[in-house]
């Protein structure tokens, strides 16, 4: 299967950490991704993690992957107002042809 | 590099009208995709292409046609627009190599009345 589940809404105060969660069903996915969509814009790739890794850190972003539970999370440290956006997780699928399956997105609102 | 561009940005159609959305990429990518985004539905793949001259159906292809006559362009056509096709349409491209990430255009907001 290629269903990707995400919760819908998160509100966080500026300066706090945000954690966004995602579960996926395709255990053979080789890569998992986090995309950010700001209002009125397209999706921007934030980071990705290879399936044989447990964690990846990139500046304020930390990605955690639990393959046993098929759980992916994105932690944003020191959340800023510019982090207000919709965040999508995605997985590469076994359908091939570089097709990605996207979650429904998680809206993050940062309160100043 | 402009990346992935889409024209037009906005369009309003009446039911039954036709139109073509244009996507262009300047990254020499092999793969190109058309998605639609609807509230609460996430992104759904309409059609995709694995190279110049090829097209294939995604998850929601009905009511749409595509063409990839040139590597850098991917066209999405609506032959007879319906209100159910009111959506935001995104084009994306990918090199085809790992990590298989896709690069997105800014989107086209289409309203069918």
């Amino acid at each position: 299967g290629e269903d990707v589940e995400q919760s819908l809404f998160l509100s966080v105060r500026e300066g706090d950490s945000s954690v966004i969660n995602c579960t996926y069903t395709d255990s053979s996915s080789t890569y998992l991704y986090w995309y950010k969509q700001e209002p009125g814009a397209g999706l921007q790739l934030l980071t990705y993690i290879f399936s044989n890794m447990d964690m990846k850190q990139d500046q304020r972003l930390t990605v955690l992957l639990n393959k046993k539970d098929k759980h992916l999370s994105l932690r944003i440290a020191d959340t800023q107002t510019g982090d207000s956006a919709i965040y999508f997780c995605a997985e590469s699928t076994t359908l091939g042809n570089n097709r990605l399956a996207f979650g429904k997105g998680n809206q993050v609102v940062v309160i100043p | 590099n402009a990346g992935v561009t889409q024209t037009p940005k906005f369009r309003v159609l009446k039911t039954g009208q036709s139109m073509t959305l244009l996507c262009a990429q300047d990254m020499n990518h092999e793969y190109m995709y058309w998605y639609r985004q609807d509230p609460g539905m996430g992104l759904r793949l309409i059609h995709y292409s694995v190279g110049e001259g090829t097209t294939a159906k995604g998850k929601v292809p009905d009511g749409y046609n595509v063409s990839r006559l040139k590597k850098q362009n991917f066209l999405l056509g609506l032959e007879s627009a319906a209100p159910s096709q009111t959506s935001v349409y995104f084009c994306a491209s990918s090199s085809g190599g790992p990590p298989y990430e896709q690069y997105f255009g800014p989107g086209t907001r289409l309203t069918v009345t």
Side-chain angles (χ1 to χ4, degrees):
Chain A
E2 51 172 274
D3 291 332
V4 181
E5 298 288 334
Q6 290 184 254
S7 53
L8 294 179
F9 183 81
L10 175 68
S11 173
V12 61
R13 293 205 175 275
E14 188 175 14
D16 288 350
S17 294
S18 315
V19 179
I20 308 164
N21 297 298
C22 168
T23 58
Y24 61 97
T25 57
D26 192 339
S27 58
S28 57
S29 293
T30 50
Y31 292 92
L32 296 117
Y33 314 82
W34 283 103
Y35 281 83
K36 176 184 180 183
Q37 184 182 31
E38 296 182 11
L43 277 70
Q44 171 196 358
L45 178 68
L46 279 180
T47 187
Y48 64 89
I49 187 167
F50 188 47
S51 58
N52 69 351
M53 297 170 65
D54 298 324
M55 185 181 87
K56 180 178 180 181
Q57 187 143 8
D58 184 359
Q59 300 183 330
R60 292 190 298 118
L61 305 178
T62 303
V63 178
L64 295 177
L65 176 59
N66 180 332
K67 286 198 74 174
K68 175 176 168 289
D69 296 334
K70 299 191 189 69
H71 184 261
L72 181 74
S73 68
L74 174 70
R75 178 177 180 269
I76 305 173
D78 187 25
T79 310
Q80 306 295 308
T81 53
D83 296 325
S84 291
I86 300 176
Y87 291 82
F88 292 91
C89 67
E91 59 174 342
S92 59
T93 77
T94 53
L95 292 170
N97 294 320
N98 298 59
R99 287 171 64 171
L100 302 185
F102 287 85
K104 291 183 170 57
N106 187 312
Q107 180 158 16
V108 174
V109 174
V110 181
I111 303 164
Chain B
N1 276 1
V4 180
T5 57
Q6 292 182 234
T7 52
K9 287 187 168 47
F10 302 94
R11 185 72 187 268
V12 178
L13 287 179
K14 292 189 190 308
T15 298
Q17 287 184 319
S18 63
M19 78 162 295
T20 300
L21 283 67
L22 171 64
C23 175
Q25 52 95 4
D26 62 1
M27 296 174 282
N28 201 35
H29 283 171
E30 289 293 333
Y31 292 74
M32 295 187 75
Y33 312 82
W34 276 107
Y35 294 89
R36 59 179 289 173
Q37 183 180 32
D38 302 291
M41 302 289 286
L43 285 168
R44 293 183 291 170
L45 181 65
I46 304 171
H47 285 281
Y48 63 100
S49 167
V50 302
E52 181 179 312
T54 75
T55 62
K57 293 180 181 179
K59 275 203 156 182
V60 290
D62 294 342
Y64 305 96
N65 56 75
V66 286
S67 64
R68 183 104 181 265
L69 298 179
K70 292 183 180 180
K71 187 177 182 179
Q72 63 268 34
N73 295 337
F74 195 28
L75 279 63
L76 178 71
L78 286 73
E79 288 184 348
S80 179
S84 61
Q85 294 178 304
T86 293
S87 187
V88 182
Y89 292 86
F90 288 101
C91 176
S93 70
S94 167
S95 67
Y100 312 114
E101 77 275 29
Q102 294 181 12
Y103 295 87
F104 283 79
T108 294
R109 185 172 293 274
L110 175 66
T111 302
V112 183
T113 61

